Amino acid sequence: MAEATVENPSDMEKKSTQQTGDTSVGGISLNLLLQKALDAVGEKKYGEGRALYHDILSSLPALPKKDKEHVLCEAGRLSFWLGDYQSAKADLNLALQYNPHNAAAHIMLGYVALSEYFFTKARGHFASVDSQNPEA
């Protein structure tokens, strides 16, 4: 199995803007809202960043599923960094409802499970990613 690393939230900025295209729903630019969340993360205001990601979901209900999945993964990652494992699990499991093969969600759920001493569950999440990416 490939070794996974937990990314520092302040390193997420580059990946986040690359993964999500410029979507506009109801005249509100997703990239503008994501940038606000990323700015908060860059300033190490992880709780504020997580709240902004949840604001994106509530203010843009017509957001495409792929974008919702991405926002939920970012919110879940921040919840994990804040030690709020219940919120992390809720957001990451919801992301998996949009895409059951989301490697980022499985990796983060694996880390949550490790943090809660559920080693078998963690192994299952990591194995899921390994089976999706046999070259990793």
Side-chain angles (χ1 to χ4, degrees):
M1 174 168 38
E3 185 175 322
T5 58
V6 178
E7 294 180 45
N8 185 322
S10 61
D11 294 338
M12 296 183 312
E13 183 171 350
K14 291 178 190 166
K15 285 180 79 175
S16 201
T17 54
Q18 291 169 352
Q19 290 176 354
T20 306
D22 189 14
T23 303
S24 181
V25 180
I28 301 172
S29 168
L30 175 61
N31 281 342
L32 179 63
L33 295 172
L34 283 173
Q35 190 58 51
K36 287 182 181 182
L38 292 170
D39 289 345
V41 170
E43 296 170 8
K44 301 189 185 316
K45 298 177 182 176
Y46 304 137
E48 183 179 325
R50 178 178 61 175
L52 287 166
Y53 281 123
H54 286 162
D55 288 347
I56 289 170
L57 294 170
S58 63
S59 64
L60 299 173
L63 197 61
K65 287 182 181 182
K66 181 128 180 93
D67 291 330
K68 285 182 183 178
E69 172 191 344
H70 172 73
V71 170
L72 285 162
C73 278
E74 295 302 324
R77 186 186 321 261
L78 290 175
S79 293
F80 173 80
W81 277 90
L82 291 166
D84 184 354
Y85 302 140
Q86 294 304 318
S87 292
K89 287 189 285 190
D91 288 337
L92 295 165
N93 281 316
L94 190 53
L96 287 177
Q97 287 181 9
Y98 289 112
N99 177 6
H101 303 291
N102 184 311
H106 279 293
I107 289 169
M108 290 310 304
L109 282 166
Y111 281 112
V112 170
L114 283 175
S115 298
E116 295 180 324
Y117 304 103
F118 294 120
F119 302 115
T120 303
K121 188 179 280 191
R123 187 177 325 132
H125 283 294
F126 294 138
S128 171
V129 173
D130 195 37
S131 68
Q132 294 173 39
N133 302 304
E135 298 161 6

